[in-house]
Amino acid sequence: MKRAISIVVTLALLAWLASDSRWRMVGDAFERITPGTFAVATIAFFVTYVLRALRVCDEFRDEVNGRFGACLRIILIHNAMINVIPFRGGETAFPLLLRQVFGVPIMRASASLLWFRLQDAFVVGVLALAVWPDLHPAMRIAGVTALIAAAWYLPRWARAPHDWAGRSRIVAKLGLLRDTFTDATGRSRYGWWWTIANWSLKLTVQGWLLALILGTSFTTAFPGVVGAEGAAILPVQGVAGFGTYEAGAAAALLTSGIAMKSGLQAALALHLFIFCSAIVTGAIAWLFPSKSTLPGNPAVGPARKPSQ
């Protein structure tokens, strides 16, 4: 049912945009952006991939041994898979590639991915509350304080001694997951700094592009970017995020006085740019195999047909 709803949402949005020449309007939105602006935005997006790769290098420094290029390749392919495979299925590329290239256990890599995503959510939440327009100062301060407190408490709760292993079978398994998550939260030395730098740059570039597409100011467009990224946590997602991304952006732009129709069209144009950036960089990374540290597995690269 969840997958069916996701497909219906995506197809409905595309059908709505395809009618009444709305695709032409999306193309018109891109005409407001110069080739130089596209180049700067593309480079900035690539820098965000580099920051995420540095976070992986920091988290798995004992296994990686300074192989930044291999970490960057994993990030680029993982990012492309998230955009290609429906229903967030592309997330599995991260633990699988870490196991193939560096021999990191699936459970360990998955726990780190969960912690990465939680860090992302906390940082985006704080940034959203900090810049959201017309929010009462007391609510802004209370929300930011609550998120920072939760981010501080969560890893400490995980590291606290517990007796879950001696309880029922289900609780014992949960205890094992808690211990694995504890290990993931304690390994990265600069994880929060990489996360803050990544999202600050990513949201700034997206806000800049969205402002150019809408022909408005950065402060007016920025809530739309935050709303689009916040829509990623919804339990039902459109294929490759199409539909939910645009709806989140358009809903947030309503607070800035941007009409729903204009918000949807501008968000779709921005989403197409992000999607193409992810696919192109992921495809390029796929062409360059990474040497594996595992015995008997000299390289991990594009799939090859077995010889006849």
Side-chain angles (χ1 to χ4, degrees), residues 141-184:
I141 294 173
V144 170
T145 302
L147 286 176
I148 293 176
W152 176 87
Y153 174 75
L154 184 59
R156 285 159 179 78
W157 167 82
R159 290 195 291 268
H162 63 84
D163 60 349
W164 290 14
R167 298 186 183 181
S168 65
R169 184 176 180 179
I170 295 178
V171 175
K173 289 183 177 180
L174 292 176
L176 179 61
L177 292 175
R178 177 177 173 179
D179 292 338
T180 305
F181 178 72
T182 300
D183 187 46

Side-chain angles (χ1 to χ4, degrees), residues 12-299:
L13 175 72
L14 293 177
W16 185 80
L17 288 169
S19 63
D20 299 331
S21 303
R22 287 186 174 90
W23 277 112
R24 181 180 59 80
M25 295 179 183
V26 172
D28 293 341
F30 277 120
E31 292 180 358
R32 303 188 185 103
I33 303 178
T34 65
T37 300
F38 271 121
V40 172
T42 301
I43 293 172
F45 269 107
F46 186 76
V47 173
T48 65
Y49 303 149
V50 170
L51 291 171
R52 289 159 62 183
L54 288 171
R55 182 167 67 165
V56 173
C57 286
D58 185 22
E59 172 78 14
F60 299 97
R61 57 189 177 277
D62 294 336
E63 296 85 357
V64 169
N65 293 321
R67 294 180 57 196
F68 171 77
C71 291
L72 180 59
R73 180 178 183 272
I74 289 173
I75 286 297
L76 294 177
I77 295 176
H78 174 220
N79 190 52
M81 290 298 101
I82 292 175
N83 285 275
V84 171
I85 301 177
F87 322 116
R88 306 295 295 186
E91 294 283 16
T92 58
F94 183 78
L96 289 175
L97 287 170
L98 277 175
R99 184 185 65 176
Q100 290 174 346
V101 178
F102 299 117
V104 178
I106 290 291
M107 183 71 75
R108 163 82 174 89
S110 299
S112 292
L113 179 61
L114 172 61
W115 179 231
F116 288 167
R117 290 293 178 247
L118 287 173
Q119 287 180 307
D120 292 342
F122 283 128
V123 170
V124 172
V126 168
L127 290 174
L129 289 169
V131 303
W132 201 263
D134 301 326
L135 188 64
H136 193 280
M139 294 182 62
R140 193 186 307 274
I141 294 173
V144 170
T145 302
L147 286 176
I148 293 176
W152 176 87
Y153 174 75
L154 184 59
R156 285 159 179 78
W157 167 82
R159 290 195 291 268
H162 63 84
D163 60 349
W164 290 14
R167 298 186 183 181
S168 65
R169 184 176 180 179
I170 295 178
V171 175
K173 289 183 177 180
L174 292 176
L176 179 61
L177 292 175
R178 177 177 173 179
D179 292 338
T180 305
F181 178 72
T182 300
D183 187 46
T185 61
R187 283 181 173 263
S188 181
R189 297 167 297 181
Y190 310 110
W192 282 111
W193 295 112
W194 298 129
T195 305
I196 292 171
N198 168 51
W199 279 104
S200 298
L201 178 59
K202 183 177 180 179
L203 293 178
T204 298
V205 174
Q206 290 188 56
W208 175 49
L209 287 176
L210 189 59
L212 291 175
I213 293 172
L214 287 168
T216 186
S217 66
F218 176 84
T219 54
T220 300
F222 191 73
V225 173
V226 176
E229 293 294 343
I233 66 175
L234 293 175
V236 176
Q237 290 285 321
V239 178
F242 284 104
T244 47
Y245 182 96
E246 287 76 11
L253 285 170
L254 290 174
T255 64
S256 300
I258 304 297
M260 176 66 73
K261 176 182 175 180
S262 299
L264 285 172
Q265 292 168 350
L268 177 60
L270 176 62
H271 196 182
L272 287 172
F273 175 80
I274 297 171
F275 180 81
C276 291
S277 175
I279 298 304
V280 170
T281 54
I284 293 174
W286 187 260
L287 297 175
F288 295 90
S290 294
K291 292 183 179 180
S292 174
T293 59
L294 301 179
N297 188 12

